[in-house]
Each structure stands twice: as structure tokens, then as C-alpha cells.
Amino acid sequence: MEISYQTYRMGDFTCLSILSNGCADSIGYIADHIPRAGSITLVAKVENEIAGYVLATASNAGVYVHNVQVVEKYRRKGIATKMLSMIEAHIANTECQFPIMLHAVESNKGAVSCYRKAGYRVSVRIPNHPAMYDHMLVMRKNA
């Protein structure tokens, strides 16, 4: 299986919204995020099918990863890890700097494990986060 990675292209939008499970809030968020200054949107493809994406925002204060999504059948194949490393490579080529921050629902063991393996550490645990009905982890990676 050959996986290719690219920056976002206009034709990718429909597939990204499908990956967000058709959630109107997510679709609106993606549409609003992509044209913003500092926006980084990366897409992973397997044989022209979108397998995953990452949305992030870079600034002089660091990078915040808003969303990492990988299609279920492509999970645990290193796609999320590779896209996160591409964010780091992007930082190296710009005036942006570390840290990279993201959040994860504590019960999403697969995501938390992926982020830990990629070098992220929990900096804050928010118990019973009202929007998630679960504990939220704020995770951080330094240079």
C-alpha cells in the first residue's frame, strides 16, 4: 500500500467533510480554517482516496493541531504520525516555532497512544470536559 502526502487542494474538501462524519459543525470548521493565515492542512491519500488529514494553525507562539482524522481502515499504519512529523518539518521551514499543542479525549486510547509515540506529553488534564463528556488531555511537544 503506497501512501502519498500533500498539502490541501480544493478538490479535497468534499472528502474531508466526509471524514468528519458529515457533522455540520466540523464541515463549517474545516471550511473556515483552510483559508486562514497560518493554516496548515495536510492530506494523506491511498490510491487517490483520502485516507486522512490534519488541520493546524501556526504562529510565532507555536502550532496548534486542531484536528487529526484517519479513515478507520487506514488507522495504525503510521499515517497520523507521518502527518504530525510533516507539521514539524513545516515549522523548520518557517518562522514558526515549537511547541506544538493538541488536545485528545482521554478515552480515545488509540489517539493518545499515537500522540505519545510521536513525542507529545500531557501538560494539562481537564476532568469531565463539558463539551466532550469525558476527560480532555492537552498535549504538548517541544523541540
Side-chain angles (χ1 to χ4, degrees):
M1 172 178 68
E2 186 173 328
I3 305 167
S4 62
Y5 299 89
Q6 66 187 43
T7 56
Y8 171 83
R9 297 184 185 141
M10 288 303 292
D12 296 333
F13 182 78
T14 302
C15 294
L16 297 187
S17 63
I18 290 168
L19 277 175
S20 296
N21 299 319
C23 173
D25 289 342
S26 294
I27 295 167
Y29 185 79
I30 293 168
D32 184 53
H33 177 271
I34 291 169
R36 289 184 181 186
S39 172
I40 307 167
T41 305
L42 303 173
V43 176
K45 290 186 175 182
V46 174
E47 299 174 9
N48 256 356
E49 174 188 1
I50 291 191
Y53 72 92
V54 62
L55 299 175
T57 302
S59 72
N60 289 336
V63 175
Y64 183 75
V65 176
H66 302 276
N67 203 347
V68 178
Q69 291 281 343
V70 177
V71 174
E72 191 168 346
K73 70 181 179 180
Y74 296 121
R75 291 181 185 161
R76 292 170 183 63
K77 298 187 183 321
I79 292 172
T81 302
K82 175 66 175 176
M83 289 188 296
L84 290 170
S85 72
M86 291 174 71
I87 297 288
E88 292 176 36
H90 176 81
I91 293 170
N93 295 321
T94 67
E95 293 180 17
C96 299
Q97 50 189 305
F98 282 84
I100 303 174
M101 306 283 289
L102 54 79
H103 66 273
V105 176
E106 187 175 50
S107 63
N108 187 341
K109 302 296 185 195
V112 172
S113 174
C114 172
Y115 301 146
R116 285 184 192 274
K117 287 177 187 172
Y120 291 81
R121 299 294 171 248
V122 175
S123 60
V124 177
R125 180 177 183 264
I126 305 168
N128 302 312
H129 190 281
M132 297 296 163
Y133 307 105
D134 198 344
H135 306 303
M136 181 69 65
L137 302 176
V138 178
M139 301 183 79
R140 173 186 182 117
K141 182 174 185 176
N142 295 317

mmCIF file of all heavy atoms in Angstrom, residues 17 20 34 36 53 59 81 83 88-91 94 102 106 115 118 127-128 130 135 142:
data_model
loop_
_atom_site.group_PDB
_atom_site.id
_atom_site.type_symbol
_atom_site.label_atom_id
_atom_site.label_comp_id
_atom_site.label_asym_id
_atom_site.label_seq_id
_atom_site.Cartn_x
_atom_site.Cartn_y
_atom_site.Cartn_z
ATOM 1 N N SER A 17 -14.889 16.592 4.395
ATOM 2 C CA SER A 17 -16.154 16.693 5.124
ATOM 3 C C SER A 17 -16.739 15.307 5.392
ATOM 4 O O SER A 17 -17.359 15.084 6.433
ATOM 5 C CB SER A 17 -17.144 17.579 4.369
ATOM 6 O OG SER A 17 -17.475 17.036 3.117
ATOM 7 N N SER A 20 -15.244 13.859 8.394
ATOM 8 C CA SER A 20 -15.776 14.462 9.621
ATOM 9 C C SER A 20 -17.160 13.927 9.943
ATOM 10 O O SER A 20 -17.899 14.519 10.721
ATOM 11 C CB SER A 20 -15.814 15.985 9.462
ATOM 12 O OG SER A 20 -14.518 16.468 9.331
ATOM 13 N N ILE A 34 -9.347 26.532 6.527
ATOM 14 C CA ILE A 34 -8.408 26.389 5.413
ATOM 15 C C ILE A 34 -7.875 27.724 4.883
ATOM 16 O O ILE A 34 -6.671 27.845 4.668
ATOM 17 C CB ILE A 34 -9.024 25.510 4.303
ATOM 18 C CG1 ILE A 34 -9.113 24.073 4.835
ATOM 19 C CG2 ILE A 34 -8.225 25.580 3.013
ATOM 20 C CD1 ILE A 34 -9.921 23.137 3.981
ATOM 21 N N ARG A 36 -7.411 30.581 6.379
ATOM 22 C CA ARG A 36 -6.822 31.468 7.386
ATOM 23 C C ARG A 36 -5.303 31.574 7.260
ATOM 24 O O ARG A 36 -4.635 30.613 6.887
ATOM 25 C CB ARG A 36 -7.132 30.961 8.789
ATOM 26 C CG ARG A 36 -8.564 31.111 9.176
ATOM 27 C CD ARG A 36 -8.743 30.676 10.590
ATOM 28 N NE ARG A 36 -10.146 30.802 10.953
ATOM 29 C CZ ARG A 36 -10.590 30.601 12.161
ATOM 30 N NH1 ARG A 36 -9.764 30.274 13.132
ATOM 31 N NH2 ARG A 36 -11.859 30.727 12.418
ATOM 32 N N TYR A 53 -6.393 13.400 7.256
ATOM 33 C CA TYR A 53 -5.980 14.788 7.151
ATOM 34 C C TYR A 53 -5.648 15.343 8.521
ATOM 35 O O TYR A 53 -6.012 14.769 9.544
ATOM 36 C CB TYR A 53 -7.052 15.652 6.477
ATOM 37 C CG TYR A 53 -8.278 15.921 7.320
ATOM 38 C CD1 TYR A 53 -8.363 17.049 8.127
ATOM 39 C CD2 TYR A 53 -9.362 15.047 7.316
ATOM 40 C CE1 TYR A 53 -9.489 17.306 8.901
ATOM 41 C CE2 TYR A 53 -10.481 15.288 8.083
ATOM 42 C CZ TYR A 53 -10.537 16.414 8.872
ATOM 43 O OH TYR A 53 -11.643 16.654 9.651
ATOM 44 N N SER A 59 1.820 29.914 14.343
ATOM 45 C CA SER A 59 2.077 31.321 14.658
ATOM 46 C C SER A 59 3.462 31.410 15.298
ATOM 47 O O SER A 59 4.113 30.390 15.525
ATOM 48 C CB SER A 59 1.018 31.863 15.623
ATOM 49 O OG SER A 59 1.211 31.312 16.905
ATOM 50 N N THR A 81 0.992 9.741 12.445
ATOM 51 C CA THR A 81 2.357 10.051 12.882
ATOM 52 C C THR A 81 3.119 10.782 11.785
ATOM 53 O O THR A 81 3.821 11.766 12.054
ATOM 54 C CB THR A 81 3.087 8.747 13.272
ATOM 55 O OG1 THR A 81 2.334 8.097 14.297
ATOM 56 C CG2 THR A 81 4.491 9.023 13.762
ATOM 57 N N MET A 83 1.853 12.599 9.302
ATOM 58 C CA MET A 83 1.323 13.950 9.114
ATOM 59 C C MET A 83 1.793 14.877 10.235
ATOM 60 O O MET A 83 2.119 16.038 9.981
ATOM 61 C CB MET A 83 -0.206 13.920 8.996
ATOM 62 C CG MET A 83 -0.675 13.316 7.686
ATOM 63 S SD MET A 83 -2.459 13.464 7.379
ATOM 64 C CE MET A 83 -3.142 12.486 8.709
ATOM 65 N N GLU A 88 5.965 19.260 11.854
ATOM 66 C CA GLU A 88 7.269 19.638 12.399
ATOM 67 C C GLU A 88 8.209 20.119 11.299
ATOM 68 O O GLU A 88 8.940 21.103 11.483
ATOM 69 C CB GLU A 88 7.888 18.463 13.143
ATOM 70 C CG GLU A 88 7.149 18.097 14.397
ATOM 71 C CD GLU A 88 7.728 16.866 15.061
ATOM 72 O OE1 GLU A 88 8.968 16.684 15.035
ATOM 73 O OE2 GLU A 88 6.942 16.091 15.621
ATOM 74 N N ALA A 89 8.205 19.445 10.160
ATOM 75 C CA ALA A 89 9.052 19.859 9.038
ATOM 76 C C ALA A 89 8.632 21.242 8.539
ATOM 77 O O ALA A 89 9.475 22.064 8.186
ATOM 78 C CB ALA A 89 8.965 18.830 7.911
ATOM 79 N N HIS A 90 7.335 21.486 8.537
ATOM 80 C CA HIS A 90 6.834 22.801 8.120
ATOM 81 C C HIS A 90 7.381 23.888 9.049
ATOM 82 O O HIS A 90 7.800 24.938 8.597
ATOM 83 C CB HIS A 90 5.305 22.818 8.136
ATOM 84 C CG HIS A 90 4.718 24.145 7.817
ATOM 85 N ND1 HIS A 90 4.577 24.589 6.526
ATOM 86 C CD2 HIS A 90 4.268 25.143 8.620
ATOM 87 C CE1 HIS A 90 4.052 25.803 6.560
ATOM 88 N NE2 HIS A 90 3.858 26.155 7.817
ATOM 89 N N ILE A 91 7.384 23.608 10.338
ATOM 90 C CA ILE A 91 7.890 24.577 11.309
ATOM 91 C C ILE A 91 9.352 24.904 11.015
ATOM 92 O O ILE A 91 9.769 26.053 11.077
ATOM 93 C CB ILE A 91 7.749 24.035 12.749
ATOM 94 C CG1 ILE A 91 6.283 23.926 13.124
ATOM 95 C CG2 ILE A 91 8.479 24.924 13.743
ATOM 96 C CD1 ILE A 91 6.056 23.192 14.427
ATOM 97 N N THR A 94 9.852 27.659 8.394
ATOM 98 C CA THR A 94 9.148 28.927 8.565
ATOM 99 C C THR A 94 9.669 29.641 9.811
ATOM 100 O O THR A 94 10.568 29.151 10.490
ATOM 101 C CB THR A 94 7.629 28.711 8.736
ATOM 102 O OG1 THR A 94 7.394 28.043 9.975
ATOM 103 C CG2 THR A 94 7.025 27.916 7.590
ATOM 104 N N LEU A 102 -1.888 20.066 21.085
ATOM 105 C CA LEU A 102 -3.115 19.451 20.593
ATOM 106 C C LEU A 102 -3.903 18.968 21.797
ATOM 107 O O LEU A 102 -3.412 19.005 22.921
ATOM 108 C CB LEU A 102 -2.823 18.313 19.606
ATOM 109 C CG LEU A 102 -1.891 17.185 20.019
ATOM 110 C CD1 LEU A 102 -2.579 16.174 20.913
ATOM 111 C CD2 LEU A 102 -1.350 16.487 18.784
ATOM 112 N N GLU A 106 -9.367 11.647 26.610
ATOM 113 C CA GLU A 106 -8.575 10.657 27.336
ATOM 114 C C GLU A 106 -8.982 9.216 27.013
ATOM 115 O O GLU A 106 -8.129 8.328 26.934
ATOM 116 C CB GLU A 106 -8.697 10.912 28.838
ATOM 117 C CG GLU A 106 -7.769 10.045 29.667
ATOM 118 C CD GLU A 106 -7.823 10.403 31.137
ATOM 119 O OE1 GLU A 106 -8.942 10.498 31.685
ATOM 120 O OE2 GLU A 106 -6.755 10.613 31.712
ATOM 121 N N TYR A 115 -0.129 9.931 19.810
ATOM 122 C CA TYR A 115 0.497 11.207 20.151
ATOM 123 C C TYR A 115 1.686 11.001 21.085
ATOM 124 O O TYR A 115 2.728 11.646 20.925
ATOM 125 C CB TYR A 115 -0.513 12.160 20.777
ATOM 126 C CG TYR A 115 -1.705 12.464 19.885
ATOM 127 C CD1 TYR A 115 -2.965 12.675 20.422
ATOM 128 C CD2 TYR A 115 -1.583 12.524 18.495
ATOM 129 C CE1 TYR A 115 -4.062 12.948 19.612
ATOM 130 C CE2 TYR A 115 -2.666 12.782 17.684
ATOM 131 C CZ TYR A 115 -3.901 12.996 18.246
ATOM 132 O OH TYR A 115 -4.990 13.262 17.442
ATOM 133 N N ALA A 118 4.608 9.851 19.199
ATOM 134 C CA ALA A 118 5.152 10.938 18.374
ATOM 135 C C ALA A 118 5.875 11.989 19.227
ATOM 136 O O ALA A 118 6.365 12.977 18.702
ATOM 137 C CB ALA A 118 4.031 11.593 17.566
ATOM 138 N N PRO A 127 -10.614 17.442 33.803
ATOM 139 C CA PRO A 127 -11.601 16.420 34.170
ATOM 140 C C PRO A 127 -13.005 16.782 33.687
ATOM 141 O O PRO A 127 -13.399 17.945 33.713
ATOM 142 C CB PRO A 127 -11.553 16.394 35.699
ATOM 143 C CG PRO A 127 -10.474 17.315 36.127
ATOM 144 C CD PRO A 127 -10.068 18.134 34.954
ATOM 145 N N ASN A 128 -13.704 15.784 33.218
ATOM 146 C CA ASN A 128 -15.122 15.931 32.848
ATOM 147 C C ASN A 128 -15.380 17.153 31.985
ATOM 148 O O ASN A 128 -16.241 17.976 32.279
ATOM 149 C CB ASN A 128 -15.998 15.967 34.106
ATOM 150 C CG ASN A 128 -15.804 14.722 34.939
ATOM 151 O OD1 ASN A 128 -15.840 13.616 34.420
ATOM 152 N ND2 ASN A 128 -15.572 14.898 36.221
ATOM 153 N N PRO A 130 -16.932 19.561 29.660
ATOM 154 C CA PRO A 130 -18.367 19.602 29.352
ATOM 155 C C PRO A 130 -18.709 19.349 27.885
ATOM 156 O O PRO A 130 -19.739 18.756 27.596
ATOM 157 C CB PRO A 130 -18.792 21.009 29.785
ATOM 158 C CG PRO A 130 -17.540 21.785 29.930
ATOM 159 C CD PRO A 130 -16.438 20.823 30.191
ATOM 160 N N HIS A 135 -12.820 13.155 30.024
ATOM 161 C CA HIS A 135 -11.638 13.914 30.421
ATOM 162 C C HIS A 135 -10.878 14.318 29.156
ATOM 163 O O HIS A 135 -10.727 13.514 28.232
ATOM 164 C CB HIS A 135 -10.735 13.087 31.328
ATOM 165 C CG HIS A 135 -11.443 12.537 32.523
ATOM 166 N ND1 HIS A 135 -12.104 13.336 33.430
ATOM 167 C CD2 HIS A 135 -11.607 11.274 32.951
ATOM 168 C CE1 HIS A 135 -12.638 12.592 34.368
ATOM 169 N NE2 HIS A 135 -12.364 11.325 34.102
ATOM 170 N N ASN A 142 7.692 19.719 22.567
ATOM 171 C CA ASN A 142 8.724 20.743 22.433
ATOM 172 C C ASN A 142 9.768 20.283 21.426
ATOM 173 O O ASN A 142 9.816 19.112 21.075
ATOM 174 C CB ASN A 142 9.377 21.029 23.783
ATOM 175 C CG ASN A 142 8.381 21.640 24.760
ATOM 176 O OD1 ASN A 142 7.605 22.509 24.403
ATOM 177 N ND2 ASN A 142 8.381 21.131 25.980
#
